[in-house]
């Protein structure tokens, strides 16, 4: 009654639920050790994770490194996506503070990969997975996901959320499943009057058109 116009997103385990987005959630059993995490992974993922440590790359866990935004731009250009302004991340980090945690992978002084995550009590969610494609043969994404899971176990985190993606992204989904994560569908529910629905419909269409136009200009 107080909020006649509202919109909410829900995560549900029903695989038949209608929704454009999905996310993969890894539930870590209480008492699981760092060594036991490999029992969660499928065989291929275990092998790729072990391979990812057979190099001189080093990991740093903490605040976003100074090279983070440049790596973000590299990834957005490769994906032909519209990049957010750097001020967005500055505001996000100012608001969330130490809850923003980065798992950064370096080759010497070069940042080659970064998992940008946010922590809330016993739940950590991956907001961005960034990497340099020329290092993919070293399985750096497997390394960063494994570092995230190992860190979560060490800190008593119960849920690791690998973040939202579209249903049609099969390869990305398969990658996350390899770490033992379960697929969940994100559905949205709205409580708004008819005229507000019409307004939002055209506002969304206008936004989509601008995004497509801007993407063509990249």
């Amino acid at each position: 009654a107080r909020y006649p116009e509202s919109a909410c997103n829900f995560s549900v385990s029903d695989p038949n639920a209608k929704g454009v987005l999905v996310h993969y959630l890894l539930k870590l059993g209480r008492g699981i050790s760092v060594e036991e995490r490999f029992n969660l992974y499928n065989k291929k993922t275990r092998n790729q994770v072990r391979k990812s440590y057979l190099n001189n790359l080093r990991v740093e866990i903490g605040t976003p490194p100074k090279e983070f935004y440049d790596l973000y731009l590299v990834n957005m250009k490769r994906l032909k996506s519209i990049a957010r302004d750097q001020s967005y991340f500055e505001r996000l980090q100012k608001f969330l503070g130490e809850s923003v945690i980065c798992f950064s992978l370096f080759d010497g002084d070069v940042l080659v990969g970064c998992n940008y995550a946010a922590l809330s009590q016993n739940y950590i969610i991956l907001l961005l997975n960034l990497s340099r494609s020329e290092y993919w043969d070293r399985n750096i994404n497997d390394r960063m996901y494994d570092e995230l899971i190992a860190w979560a176990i060490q800190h008593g985190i119960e849920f690791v959320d690998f973040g939202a993606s579209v249903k049609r992204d099969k390869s990305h989904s398969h990658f996350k499943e390899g770490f033992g994560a379960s697929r969940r569908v994100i559905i949205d529910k709205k409580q708004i009057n008819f005229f507000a629905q019409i307004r939002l419909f055209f506002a969304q269409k206008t936004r989509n058109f601008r995004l497509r136009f801007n993407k063509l200009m990249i």
Side-chain angles (χ1 to χ4, degrees):
R2 291 180 58 191
Y3 304 101
E5 295 186 11
S6 60
C8 298
N9 289 330
F10 297 91
S11 167
V12 297
S13 58
D14 181 3
N16 298 316
K18 293 183 179 179
V20 176
L21 298 177
V22 296
H23 74 121
Y24 280 81
L25 186 66
L26 175 62
K27 184 175 182 180
L28 299 171
R30 294 189 179 278
I32 186 175
S33 68
V34 173
E35 293 74 21
E36 291 172 332
R37 74 190 187 280
F38 285 99
N39 297 332
L40 302 171
Y41 307 167
N42 66 30
K43 182 179 179 180
K44 181 181 178 182
T45 299
R46 284 196 301 270
N47 291 337
Q48 289 177 334
V49 168
R50 290 189 174 106
K51 179 184 175 184
S52 73
Y53 285 89
L54 301 177
N55 51 58
N56 295 322
L57 302 182
R58 60 182 174 85
V59 68
E60 292 184 6
I61 302 174
T63 57
K66 64 180 186 298
E67 305 91 343
F68 163 78
Y69 189 70
D70 289 338
L71 180 61
Y72 168 75
L73 292 178
V74 168
N75 280 251
M76 293 300 102
K77 183 177 181 179
R78 186 182 71 242
L79 297 171
K80 296 184 178 180
S81 296
I82 300 170
R84 294 182 182 273
D85 189 79
Q86 189 169 5
S87 62
Y88 167 84
F89 296 100
E90 292 172 350
R91 291 193 299 269
L92 187 65
Q93 287 148 214
K94 181 179 179 180
F95 179 75
L96 295 179
E98 295 181 354
S99 294
V100 172
I101 302 171
C102 279
F103 299 79
S104 307
L105 205 58
F106 289 87
D107 181 8
D109 294 328
V110 179
L111 180 66
V112 300
C114 183
N115 271 356
Y116 185 97
L119 176 67
S120 177
Q121 297 179 347
N122 70 337
Y123 195 105
I124 189 166
I125 181 170
L126 179 60
L127 301 177
L128 286 171
N129 167 242
L130 308 173
S131 59
R132 294 189 181 276
S133 58
E134 58 266 34
Y135 284 83
W136 285 352
D137 61 340
R138 304 192 198 183
N139 299 100
I140 59 174
N141 288 310
D142 298 87
R143 170 76 179 274
M144 290 186 292
Y145 270 69
D146 183 64
E147 294 279 6
L148 169 61
I149 293 168
W151 185 91
I153 293 172
Q154 292 170 342
H155 291 78
I157 307 301
E158 187 175 1
F159 298 98
V160 179
D161 188 335
F162 292 144
S165 58
V166 293
K167 280 184 176 180
R168 65 178 179 271
D169 193 349
K170 302 294 184 182
S171 62
H172 203 185
S173 296
H174 183 69
F175 176 82
K176 295 175 181 179
E177 288 172 348
F179 288 91
S182 300
R183 176 186 173 112
R184 299 178 65 88
V185 180
I186 300 174
I187 60 174
D188 63 275
K189 295 293 183 181
K190 296 182 177 65
Q191 176 179 284
I192 53 178
N193 63 46
F194 175 76
F195 294 105
Q197 289 185 46
I198 297 297
R199 186 180 72 247
L200 289 176
F201 173 82
F202 284 105
Q204 185 63 48
K205 291 296 182 182
T206 301
R207 179 177 181 275
N208 291 343
F209 173 79
R210 287 175 178 170
L211 288 174
R212 292 192 184 96
F213 178 79
N214 290 337
K215 197 170 182 178
L216 290 173
M217 297 296 105
I218 295 177

